[in-house]
């Protein structure tokens, strides 16, 4: 499965504890990653500075569903279940 255009749910819903260029402390859940461009694409997708957690999160039918709203709900729920 490939990422849906104009989605970026995985770059908004989950928290990221690793440093991100422009966000040295990572990012809280629900906050848009600073590396998203105006087309909702990651500016550092192929950059070695991209956090490993970002690369490990792969699109799937279960996570992404048929629309962005589904992906945001799924990832927000997952974030709540795994928050420490």
């Amino acid at each position: 499965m490939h990422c849906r255009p104009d989605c970026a749910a995985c770059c908004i819903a989950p928290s990221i504890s690793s440093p991100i260029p422009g966000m040295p402390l990572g990012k809280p859940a629900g906050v848009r990653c600073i590396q998203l461009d105006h087309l909702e694409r990651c500016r550092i997708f192929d950059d070695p500075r991209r956090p490993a957690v970002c690369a490990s999160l792969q699109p799937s039918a279960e996570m992404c569903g048929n629309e962005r709203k589904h992906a945001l709900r799924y990832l927000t729920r997952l974030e709540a279940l795994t928050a420490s």
Side-chain angles (χ1 to χ4, degrees):
M1 183 170 181
H2 297 285
C3 289
R4 178 183 301 108
D6 300 317
C7 180
C10 60
C11 302
I12 298 168
S15 62
I16 299 174
S17 59
S18 305
I20 302 166
M23 300 179 101
L25 301 176
K27 73 166 217 64
V31 172
R32 178 184 172 83
C33 180
I34 198 168
Q35 293 301 329
L36 282 174
D37 68 14
H38 69 286
L39 296 175
E40 306 292 6
R41 296 288 191 183
C42 178
R43 290 184 185 101
I44 59 169
F45 190 82
D46 291 321
D47 189 309
R49 297 174 299 160
R50 182 177 176 221
V53 68
C54 298
S56 70
L57 188 59
Q58 297 296 310
S60 69
E62 179 184 12
M63 179 176 73
C64 301
N66 292 323
E67 61 182 7
R68 181 177 193 239
K69 286 181 185 180
H70 173 95
L72 284 167
R73 281 192 307 268
Y74 181 94
L75 289 166
T76 298
R77 185 174 63 241
L78 185 62
E79 176 70 26
L81 292 171
T82 60
S84 46

